[in-house]
């Protein structure tokens, strides 16, 4: 991360360049570390011999045995390969011939070694499988316009296309392309490709001002790209919305150079008085009214017409500029969390009350709602520079801009919220904003011949800035602006000159800083080049065209009517008779299966197929074949229907089955399912394409731990892919080949009936590129915008492709992301074998669970080879709180924890993970900045696209809202928690993290301890008790692990006594104390009652609820109470074993236990405590000057996340190694300053 030394060095260089008499001094810039430079040093794998037991056989066959060691139980034994594969997911590790632990090592978990291993394969892959086919030059998509109503649905699009092509020149092209590239992040992949095609053509036009390529060819390419893009509704909407950046009549330099002519046209009485000419001519030829030349006539005319024509009419909005009185009558109606200029509030106030009074109204609003005036003015300036300077005051805006740029250049952590309009981009400011600043200043000063002779050519230079490899052109123009332009254009007024020159100085400083940052971006991008090219070529070769809406609706209705029949088509063994993958049906057995169905079940199918069983079988067979050809399989239709709300899904099914598919509700819901089905079909095609590209050549020799695709050879000679597997060993005596599948289980395949192909990780390569896009945002966009790096010619193409690739989402990429984490967990990057220790080097030894000690290894040192040794201590982490901040912290920190050999634990007080997220009910709308956007987009994948990316022909996304120009997204908290909970559950199912629901934990940052009540203890918890390893009372604390919670046994009807009190579990209320009040001996009914709650339960003897012995201390929300709790010591007792003892759960239920978290990072993400006024608290009691902090802890939602960090180490050297192990490192003090500045 950049620090103040970079700013001082850059500022010194700027001032040294200003002194031409003195020689230039070489300024040594401080080297700033970033993620890609902090990779852990790799080490070679040593081949140890496997230990084989003598004469060990299973089932008459000799089985190879491995010696393993359990680090927690401190025991070792022999196991076979299959058992080892299952145990390797736990804490069991492989040992060498001397009993020492062998870490499982791999070199493909970092970008550098991944590229060295697979770059050649990926290049050959596309040469062989893609280049032979006709590469798609222009992206094709559905013609969505033909389905829309209205005679002018294509007419205006054709007129718009011709207009844009006609007026497009290099100046318009570069301005239009920069506006469009902002929108790429908020489109689906095929729509982003359509927009990308236009941007590429615009870049060719703007980069070739001298027409080395014929103008006709460039216009033709633009015409083709626009024609295809305008067929897509969402892309067409974006094109029209950003058309305001195009100069249709005159460019700013033309207006300045011909200022006399423009003045003549704007003052001709005939052109300025006769409507409708007077409505358009002034806006084309005149300059914006200023405070010196206020447009009072227009203000008075609009006020009169607003009253005469009446509010709420189209003609009123058209003539008065769309502003009416009722828009701002109610100040409370304005969005409280939006800046005034984003809602049109500022312009509406000026339209009603004039510039002076309107500005006062706006300032009152800002003060009342605590909106920062300067930041608001900066954002307003980016969108509309001239009106912002005129209406807010030129001097005020120049000062605000100078202060803003100086602040971002000086502050190490840059822009807190990554607000797009506040990020710096020197070339864009010079090219698009400085010309308007100069025009406004010249207008205020008064026009003269100097403007047309000097100012106009200089503005032309500004507008012709092209991307380059450095910022030399920008620096030269800034020097010319500072020396020859500023004084004259400001009219010698010091109050304007001083902030303008200060702003120029900060732009020059920014040029020096961005060159330092550029090297880091180049390093990141170059490390994932294979992923960028693979993803881009993948997207370009996928067929994005899907069937029309009418075809999809008919297919959906037909699926609903045939679904009941298809479910019943099973043989006597319960096996399905339908092979959906191949689109076939066993017609011989289908008829007998349908004979057993009720007429009500097959009624809807008979209506569309005919009145006989044979006709239904034939119709189903044709339906399957048709779906196989079109890609609208039953599986995809079900997935699309499941995306509906459950009530809407059931309603649609009921309507269709009853024959009401023609009513409006059924049409609406079926169209919605069709829209979702389009997205699912495109994802399925991406999945199929990735699967095809992942298949390499047939492997003649296989390498241990490498991945291969296994194909089964069928009787007819065809092959069926079984999936990707990791090779372990091949038997010399038989043809069996041992593999490990993705879940860690063992699979054996016969080499005679299977084919093994090399696996090419095309999905993993794309995921690495998508991660790089996130890393650039998190690490390098604190000061400069992403578009600022796209102004470098050697980066623009790659960054544009990377931005497009980041929007590719499918289930294959989701799986690749999970597989990557599994691979990282199973292969150590920090653990080292005890034999590989080098004398004179420092290492860590695991003395206890989550506790590590630093030592310097010396030759001949006596080592315990059964302990684990690390180059860097594993980074364990506990996240307390399963809200938005806690869930995102868990998602984003997981890879770093796994990479360092640590574990991730999530403590959630609610039962969300027991009830599948059902407890999420907070409906507040939250706004998330671009850092959240990037992290959610990468970690959630298809879930993010489902929620925040608008589907086909949809204006807004399904559950969220997007603000592309500001880089923000919005959503309700409950919806965001639900989708993040789903992703965390996926990781939990892969054994990548540990989740503890109903696990209330408290942290006292003053005492630096974490505590839990006894009734909240879970298995694997480590607690400190005053009991020694022998189980005897002790004055000192010792660490004990909770290994088992023994529940009370449930009671049967024979155990109940009339009048007795018991704990009864009821789904809605949990455990309730109830009394058995009656027993009906004839009917067998048992009546249980709780008079205080007014609840009575009557149940038959054979269906009683869950009943336990009465426990007054039982938790009301729990399913059962525990009888005893079993503790196990983590230290060996006097006999060399681990002691266990049981404790009555009642005796410790209300006791406070101190948790032994060892050297663990703790993120306490429970929001602001109700009893405190502090919004952010960090633990001040840290041993040493720095503490280890994961980058995701810097993500704070509403500044309510309380981040608490345990001190990891007691020596500065330990801290250095800890920082080296993690890729994203921040100083804790920076985090505190970062948050407090914004508070």
């Amino acid at each position: 991360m950049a620090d103040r030394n970079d700013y001082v060095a850059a500022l010194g260089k700027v001032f040294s360049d200003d002194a031409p008499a003195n020689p230039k001094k070489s300024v040594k810039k401080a080297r700033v570390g970033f993620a890609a430079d902090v990779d852990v040093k790799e080490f070679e794998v040593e081949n140890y011999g496997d230990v084989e037991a003598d004469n060990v056989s299973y089932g008459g066959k000799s089985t190879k045995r491995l010696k393993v060691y359990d680090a927690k139980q401190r025991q070792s034994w022999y196991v076979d390969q299959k058992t080892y594969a299952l145990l390797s997911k736990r804490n069991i590790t492989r040992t060498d011939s001397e009993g020492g632990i062998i870490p499982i090592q791999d070199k493909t978990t970092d970008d550098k070694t991944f590229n060295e291993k697979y770059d050649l394969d990926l290049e050959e892959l596309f040469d062989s499988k893609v280049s032979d086919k006709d590469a798609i030059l222009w992206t094709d998509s559905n013609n969505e316009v033909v389905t829309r109503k209205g005679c002018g649905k294509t007419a205006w699009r054709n007129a718009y296309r011709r207009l844009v092509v006609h007026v497009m020149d290099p100046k318009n092209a570069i301005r239009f392309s920069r506006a469009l590239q902002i929108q790429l992040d908020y489109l689906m992949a095929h729509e982003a490709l359509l927009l990308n095609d236009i941007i590429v053509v615009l870049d060719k036009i703007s980069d070739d001002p001298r027409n080395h390529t014929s103008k006709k060819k460039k216009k033709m390419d633009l015409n083709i790209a626009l024609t295809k893009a305008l067929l897509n509704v969402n892309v067409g909407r974006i094109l029209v919305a950003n058309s305001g950046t195009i100069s249709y009549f005159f460019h700013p330099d033309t207006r300045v150079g011909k200022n006399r002519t423009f003045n003549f046209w704007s003052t001709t009485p005939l052109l300025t008085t006769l409507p409708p000419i007077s409505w358009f001519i002034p806006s084309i030829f005149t300059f914006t009214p200023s405070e010196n030349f206020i447009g009072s006539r227009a203000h008075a005319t609009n006020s009169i017409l607003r009253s005469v024509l009446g509010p709420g009419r189209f003609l009123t909005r058209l003539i008065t500029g769309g502003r009416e009185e009722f828009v701002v009558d109610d100040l409370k109606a304005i969005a409280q969390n939006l800046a005034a200029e984003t809602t049109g509030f500022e312009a509406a106030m000026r339209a009603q009350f004039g510039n002076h009074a309107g500005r006062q109204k706006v300032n009152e609003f800002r003060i009342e709602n605590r909106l920062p005036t300067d930041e608001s003015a900066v954002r307003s300036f980016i969108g509309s520079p001239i009106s912002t300077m005129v209406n807010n005051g030129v001097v005020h805006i120049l000062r605000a801009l100078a202060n803003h740029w100086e602040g971002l250049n000086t502050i190490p952590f840059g822009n807190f919220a990554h607000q797009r309009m506040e990020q710096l981009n020197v070339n864009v400011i010079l090219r698009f904003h400085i010309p308007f600043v100069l025009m406004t200043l010249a207008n205020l000063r008064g026009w003269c011949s100097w403007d047309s002779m000097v100012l106009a050519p200089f503005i032309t230079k500004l507008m012709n800035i092209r991307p380059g490899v450095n910022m030399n052109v920008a620096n030269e123009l800034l020097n010319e602006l500072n020396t020859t332009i500023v004084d004259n254009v400001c009219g010698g007024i010091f109050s304007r000159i001083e902030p303008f020159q200060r702003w120029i100085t900060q732009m020059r400083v920014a040029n020096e800083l961005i060159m330092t940052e550029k090297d880091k971006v180049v390093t990141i991008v170059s490390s994932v080049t294979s992923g960028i090219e693979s993803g881009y070529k993948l997207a370009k070769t996928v067929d994005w065209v899907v069937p029309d809406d009418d075809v999809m609706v008919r297919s959906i209705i037909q699926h609903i009517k045939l679904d009941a029949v298809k479910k019943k088509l099973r043989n006597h063994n319960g096996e399905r008779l339908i092979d959906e993958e191949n689109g076939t049906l066993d017609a011989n057995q289908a008829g007998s299966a349908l004979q057993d169905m009720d007429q009500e079940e097959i009624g809807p199918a008979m209506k569309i197929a005919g009145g006989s069983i044979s006709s239904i079988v034939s119709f189903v067979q044709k339906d399957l074949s048709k779906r196989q050809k079109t890609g609208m399989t039953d599986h995809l239709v079900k997935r699309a229907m499941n995306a509906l709300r459950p009530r809407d899904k059931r309603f649609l099914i009921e309507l269709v089955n009853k024959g009401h598919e023609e009513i409006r509700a059924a049409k609406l819901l079926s169209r919605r399912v069709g829209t979702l089905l389009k997205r699912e079909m495109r994802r399925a095609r991406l999945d199929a394409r990735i699967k095809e590209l992942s298949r390499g050549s047939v492997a003649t020799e296989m390498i241990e731990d490498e991945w291969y695709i296994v194909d089964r050879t069928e009787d007819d000679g065809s092959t069926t892919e079984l999936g990707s597997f990791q090779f372990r060993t091949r038997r010399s005596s038989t043809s069996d080949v041992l593999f490990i599948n993705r879940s860690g289980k063992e699979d054996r395949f016969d080499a005679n009936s299977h084919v093994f192909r090399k696996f090419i990780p095309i999905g993993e390569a794309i995921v690495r590129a998508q991660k790089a896009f996130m890393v650039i945002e998190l690490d390098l966009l604190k000061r400069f915008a992403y578009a600022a790096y796209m102004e470098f010619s050697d980066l623009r193409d790659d960054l544009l492709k990377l931005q497009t690739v980041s929007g590719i989402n499918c289930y294959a990429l989701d799986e690749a992301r999970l597989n990557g984490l599994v691979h990282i967990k199973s292969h150590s990057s920090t653990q080292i074998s005890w034999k590989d220790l080098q004398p004179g080097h420092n290492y860590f030894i695991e003395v206890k669970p989550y506790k590590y000690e630093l030592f310097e290894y010396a030759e001949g040192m006596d080592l315990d080879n059964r302990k684990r040794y690390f180059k860097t201590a594993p980074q364990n982490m506990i996240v307390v709180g399963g809200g938005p901040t806690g869930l995102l912290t868990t998602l984003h920190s997981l890879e770093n924890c796994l990479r360092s050999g640590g574990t991730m634990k999530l403590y959630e007080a609610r039962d969300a993970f027991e009830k599948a997220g059902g407890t999420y009910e907070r409906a507040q709308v939250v706004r998330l900045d671009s850092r959240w956007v990037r992290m959610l987009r990468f970690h959630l994948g298809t879930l993010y696209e489902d929620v925040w990316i608008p589907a086909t022909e949809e204006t807004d996304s399904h559950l969220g809202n997007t603000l592309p120009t500001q880089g923000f997204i919005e959503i309700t908290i409950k919806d965001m928690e639900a989708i993040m909970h789903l992703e965390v559950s996926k990781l939990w199912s892969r054994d990548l993290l540990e989740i503890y629901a109903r696990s209330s934990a408290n942290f006292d940052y003053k005492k630096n301890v974490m505590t839990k009540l006894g009734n909240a203890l879970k298995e694997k918890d480590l607690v400190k008790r005053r009991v020694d390893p022998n189980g005897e009372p002790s004055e000192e604390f010792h660490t004990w692990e909770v290994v088992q919670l023994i529940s009370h046994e449930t009671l049967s009807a024979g155990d109940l006594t009339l009048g007795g009190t018991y704990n009864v579990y009821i789904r809605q209320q949990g455990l309730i104390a109830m009394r058995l009040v009656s027993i009906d001996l004839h009917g067998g009914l048992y009546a249980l009652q709780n008079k205080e709650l007014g609840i009575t339960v009557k149940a038959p003897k054979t269906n009683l609820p869950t009943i336990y012995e009465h426990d007054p201390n039982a938790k009301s929300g729990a399913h059962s109470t525990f009888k005893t709790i079993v503790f196990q010591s983590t230290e060996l007792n006097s006999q060399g074993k681990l002691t266990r003892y049981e404790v009555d759960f009642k005796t410790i239920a209300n006791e406070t236990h101190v948790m032994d978290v060892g050297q663990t990072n703790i993120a306490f993400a429970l929001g602001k405590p109700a009893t405190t006024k502090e919004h952010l608290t960090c633990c001040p009691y840290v041993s040493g000057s720095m503490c280890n902090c994961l980058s995701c802890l810097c993500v704070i939602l509403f500044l309510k996340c309380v981040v608490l960090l345990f001190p990891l180490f007691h020596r500065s050297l330990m801290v250095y190694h800890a920082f080296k192990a993690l890729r994203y490192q921040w100083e804790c003090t920076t985090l505190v300053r970062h948050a407090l500045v914004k508070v």
Side-chain angles (χ1 to χ4, degrees), residues 37-51:
D37 292 333
V38 198
D39 289 337
V40 180
K41 183 179 179 181
E42 300 295 341
F43 43 92
E44 296 296 331
V45 179
E46 185 172 349
N47 294 322
Y48 295 99
D50 295 332
V51 179

PDB file of all heavy atoms in Angstrom, residues 37-51:
ATOM      1  N   ASP A  37       3.233  -9.765  -4.687  1.00  0.00           N
ATOM      2  CA  ASP A  37       4.640  -9.828  -4.297  1.00  0.00           C
ATOM      3  C   ASP A  37       4.854 -10.571  -2.986  1.00  0.00           C
ATOM      4  O   ASP A  37       5.968 -10.720  -2.541  1.00  0.00           O
ATOM      5  CB  ASP A  37       5.206  -8.413  -4.144  1.00  0.00           C
ATOM      6  CG  ASP A  37       5.280  -7.702  -5.475  1.00  0.00           C
ATOM      7  OD1 ASP A  37       5.397  -8.371  -6.502  1.00  0.00           O
ATOM      8  OD2 ASP A  37       5.216  -6.478  -5.448  1.00  0.00           O
ATOM      9  N   VAL A  38       3.781 -10.993  -2.345  1.00  0.00           N
ATOM     10  CA  VAL A  38       3.918 -11.555  -1.013  1.00  0.00           C
ATOM     11  C   VAL A  38       3.689 -13.057  -1.012  1.00  0.00           C
ATOM     12  O   VAL A  38       3.369 -13.643  -0.007  1.00  0.00           O
ATOM     13  CB  VAL A  38       2.927 -10.863  -0.049  1.00  0.00           C
ATOM     14  CG1 VAL A  38       3.339 -11.091   1.396  1.00  0.00           C
ATOM     15  CG2 VAL A  38       2.879  -9.371  -0.319  1.00  0.00           C
ATOM     16  N   ASP A  39       3.818 -13.692  -2.183  1.00  0.00           N
ATOM     17  CA  ASP A  39       3.626 -15.127  -2.245  1.00  0.00           C
ATOM     18  C   ASP A  39       4.669 -15.836  -1.387  1.00  0.00           C
ATOM     19  O   ASP A  39       5.830 -15.450  -1.350  1.00  0.00           O
ATOM     20  CB  ASP A  39       3.720 -15.626  -3.683  1.00  0.00           C
ATOM     21  CG  ASP A  39       2.511 -15.186  -4.486  1.00  0.00           C
ATOM     22  OD1 ASP A  39       1.476 -14.915  -3.868  1.00  0.00           O
ATOM     23  OD2 ASP A  39       2.644 -15.113  -5.704  1.00  0.00           O
ATOM     24  N   VAL A  40       4.223 -16.911  -0.739  1.00  0.00           N
ATOM     25  CA  VAL A  40       5.132 -17.663   0.115  1.00  0.00           C
ATOM     26  C   VAL A  40       6.164 -18.376  -0.745  1.00  0.00           C
ATOM     27  O   VAL A  40       5.866 -18.886  -1.814  1.00  0.00           O
ATOM     28  CB  VAL A  40       4.329 -18.687   0.942  1.00  0.00           C
ATOM     29  CG1 VAL A  40       5.236 -19.487   1.852  1.00  0.00           C
ATOM     30  CG2 VAL A  40       3.268 -17.970   1.746  1.00  0.00           C
ATOM     31  N   LYS A  41       7.388 -18.379  -0.300  1.00  0.00           N
ATOM     32  CA  LYS A  41       8.455 -19.047  -1.037  1.00  0.00           C
ATOM     33  C   LYS A  41       8.172 -20.549  -1.117  1.00  0.00           C
ATOM     34  O   LYS A  41       7.873 -21.196  -0.129  1.00  0.00           O
ATOM     35  CB  LYS A  41       9.790 -18.809  -0.336  1.00  0.00           C
ATOM     36  CG  LYS A  41      10.966 -19.411  -1.086  1.00  0.00           C
ATOM     37  CD  LYS A  41      12.259 -19.111  -0.363  1.00  0.00           C
ATOM     38  CE  LYS A  41      13.445 -19.722  -1.100  1.00  0.00           C
ATOM     39  NZ  LYS A  41      14.708 -19.473  -0.396  1.00  0.00           N
ATOM     40  N   GLU A  42       8.255 -21.095  -2.331  1.00  0.00           N
ATOM     41  CA  GLU A  42       7.939 -22.502  -2.522  1.00  0.00           C
ATOM     42  C   GLU A  42       9.165 -23.372  -2.239  1.00  0.00           C
ATOM     43  O   GLU A  42      10.291 -22.888  -2.177  1.00  0.00           O
ATOM     44  CB  GLU A  42       7.451 -22.742  -3.960  1.00  0.00           C
ATOM     45  CG  GLU A  42       6.199 -21.959  -4.311  1.00  0.00           C
ATOM     46  CD  GLU A  42       5.003 -22.397  -3.503  1.00  0.00           C
ATOM     47  OE1 GLU A  42       5.022 -23.510  -2.944  1.00  0.00           O
ATOM     48  OE2 GLU A  42       4.044 -21.612  -3.417  1.00  0.00           O
ATOM     49  N   PHE A  43       8.924 -24.656  -2.121  1.00  0.00           N
ATOM     50  CA  PHE A  43      10.033 -25.565  -1.847  1.00  0.00           C
ATOM     51  C   PHE A  43       9.787 -26.869  -2.594  1.00  0.00           C
ATOM     52  O   PHE A  43       8.668 -27.223  -2.926  1.00  0.00           O
ATOM     53  CB  PHE A  43      10.179 -25.826  -0.348  1.00  0.00           C
ATOM     54  CG  PHE A  43       8.883 -26.061   0.363  1.00  0.00           C
ATOM     55  CD1 PHE A  43       8.383 -27.336   0.527  1.00  0.00           C
ATOM     56  CD2 PHE A  43       8.149 -24.988   0.851  1.00  0.00           C
ATOM     57  CE1 PHE A  43       7.187 -27.539   1.172  1.00  0.00           C
ATOM     58  CE2 PHE A  43       6.949 -25.200   1.495  1.00  0.00           C
ATOM     59  CZ  PHE A  43       6.466 -26.471   1.654  1.00  0.00           C
ATOM     60  N   GLU A  44      10.901 -27.574  -2.857  1.00  0.00           N
ATOM     61  CA  GLU A  44      10.816 -28.786  -3.654  1.00  0.00           C
ATOM     62  C   GLU A  44      10.230 -29.936  -2.830  1.00  0.00           C
ATOM     63  O   GLU A  44      10.367 -29.998  -1.617  1.00  0.00           O
ATOM     64  CB  GLU A  44      12.206 -29.186  -4.160  1.00  0.00           C
ATOM     65  CG  GLU A  44      12.822 -28.175  -5.108  1.00  0.00           C
ATOM     66  CD  GLU A  44      12.013 -28.044  -6.381  1.00  0.00           C
ATOM     67  OE1 GLU A  44      11.369 -29.031  -6.780  1.00  0.00           O
ATOM     68  OE2 GLU A  44      12.034 -26.951  -6.972  1.00  0.00           O
ATOM     69  N   VAL A  45       9.580 -30.841  -3.538  1.00  0.00           N
ATOM     70  CA  VAL A  45       9.004 -32.022  -2.899  1.00  0.00           C
ATOM     71  C   VAL A  45      10.033 -33.144  -2.910  1.00  0.00           C
ATOM     72  O   VAL A  45      10.610 -33.454  -3.944  1.00  0.00           O
ATOM     73  CB  VAL A  45       7.730 -32.473  -3.640  1.00  0.00           C
ATOM     74  CG1 VAL A  45       7.142 -33.708  -2.979  1.00  0.00           C
ATOM     75  CG2 VAL A  45       6.728 -31.342  -3.666  1.00  0.00           C
ATOM     76  N   GLU A  46      10.261 -33.713  -1.765  1.00  0.00           N
ATOM     77  CA  GLU A  46      11.206 -34.825  -1.672  1.00  0.00           C
ATOM     78  C   GLU A  46      10.435 -36.136  -1.683  1.00  0.00           C
ATOM     79  O   GLU A  46       9.420 -36.279  -0.993  1.00  0.00           O
ATOM     80  CB  GLU A  46      12.026 -34.724  -0.379  1.00  0.00           C
ATOM     81  CG  GLU A  46      13.107 -35.792  -0.289  1.00  0.00           C
ATOM     82  CD  GLU A  46      14.012 -35.550   0.898  1.00  0.00           C
ATOM     83  OE1 GLU A  46      13.911 -34.461   1.487  1.00  0.00           O
ATOM     84  OE2 GLU A  46      14.807 -36.430   1.222  1.00  0.00           O
ATOM     85  N   ASN A  47      10.859 -37.074  -2.480  1.00  0.00           N
ATOM     86  CA  ASN A  47      10.163 -38.353  -2.610  1.00  0.00           C
ATOM     87  C   ASN A  47      10.592 -39.284  -1.481  1.00  0.00           C
ATOM     88  O   ASN A  47      11.701 -39.793  -1.463  1.00  0.00           O
ATOM     89  CB  ASN A  47      10.475 -39.001  -3.962  1.00  0.00           C
ATOM     90  CG  ASN A  47       9.914 -38.182  -5.097  1.00  0.00           C
ATOM     91  OD1 ASN A  47       8.834 -37.629  -4.983  1.00  0.00           O
ATOM     92  ND2 ASN A  47      10.664 -38.096  -6.190  1.00  0.00           N
ATOM     93  N   TYR A  48       9.694 -39.481  -0.539  1.00  0.00           N
ATOM     94  CA  TYR A  48       9.971 -40.405   0.563  1.00  0.00           C
ATOM     95  C   TYR A  48       9.388 -41.775   0.221  1.00  0.00           C
ATOM     96  O   TYR A  48       8.333 -41.878  -0.407  1.00  0.00           O
ATOM     97  CB  TYR A  48       9.344 -39.898   1.864  1.00  0.00           C
ATOM     98  CG  TYR A  48       9.939 -38.621   2.360  1.00  0.00           C
ATOM     99  CD1 TYR A  48       9.320 -37.395   2.136  1.00  0.00           C
ATOM    100  CD2 TYR A  48      11.141 -38.619   3.050  1.00  0.00           C
ATOM    101  CE1 TYR A  48       9.867 -36.212   2.578  1.00  0.00           C
ATOM    102  CE2 TYR A  48      11.704 -37.449   3.515  1.00  0.00           C
ATOM    103  CZ  TYR A  48      11.058 -36.251   3.276  1.00  0.00           C
ATOM    104  OH  TYR A  48      11.602 -35.084   3.732  1.00  0.00           O
ATOM    105  N   GLY A  49      10.026 -42.797   0.703  1.00  0.00           N
ATOM    106  CA  GLY A  49       9.499 -44.142   0.472  1.00  0.00           C
ATOM    107  C   GLY A  49       8.333 -44.434   1.392  1.00  0.00           C
ATOM    108  O   GLY A  49       8.324 -44.057   2.564  1.00  0.00           O
ATOM    109  N   ASP A  50       7.324 -45.116   0.864  1.00  0.00           N
ATOM    110  CA  ASP A  50       6.179 -45.495   1.670  1.00  0.00           C
ATOM    111  C   ASP A  50       6.535 -46.685   2.554  1.00  0.00           C
ATOM    112  O   ASP A  50       7.262 -47.591   2.154  1.00  0.00           O
ATOM    113  CB  ASP A  50       4.986 -45.857   0.789  1.00  0.00           C
ATOM    114  CG  ASP A  50       4.501 -44.666   0.002  1.00  0.00           C
ATOM    115  OD1 ASP A  50       4.699 -43.548   0.502  1.00  0.00           O
ATOM    116  OD2 ASP A  50       3.952 -44.873  -1.103  1.00  0.00           O
ATOM    117  N   VAL A  51       5.993 -46.655   3.743  1.00  0.00           N
ATOM    118  CA  VAL A  51       6.218 -47.760   4.672  1.00  0.00           C
ATOM    119  C   VAL A  51       5.179 -48.829   4.405  1.00  0.00           C
ATOM    120  O   VAL A  51       3.983 -48.556   4.412  1.00  0.00           O
ATOM    121  CB  VAL A  51       6.122 -47.267   6.133  1.00  0.00           C
ATOM    122  CG1 VAL A  51       6.340 -48.431   7.081  1.00  0.00           C
ATOM    123  CG2 VAL A  51       7.165 -46.192   6.371  1.00  0.00           C
TER     124      VAL A  51
END
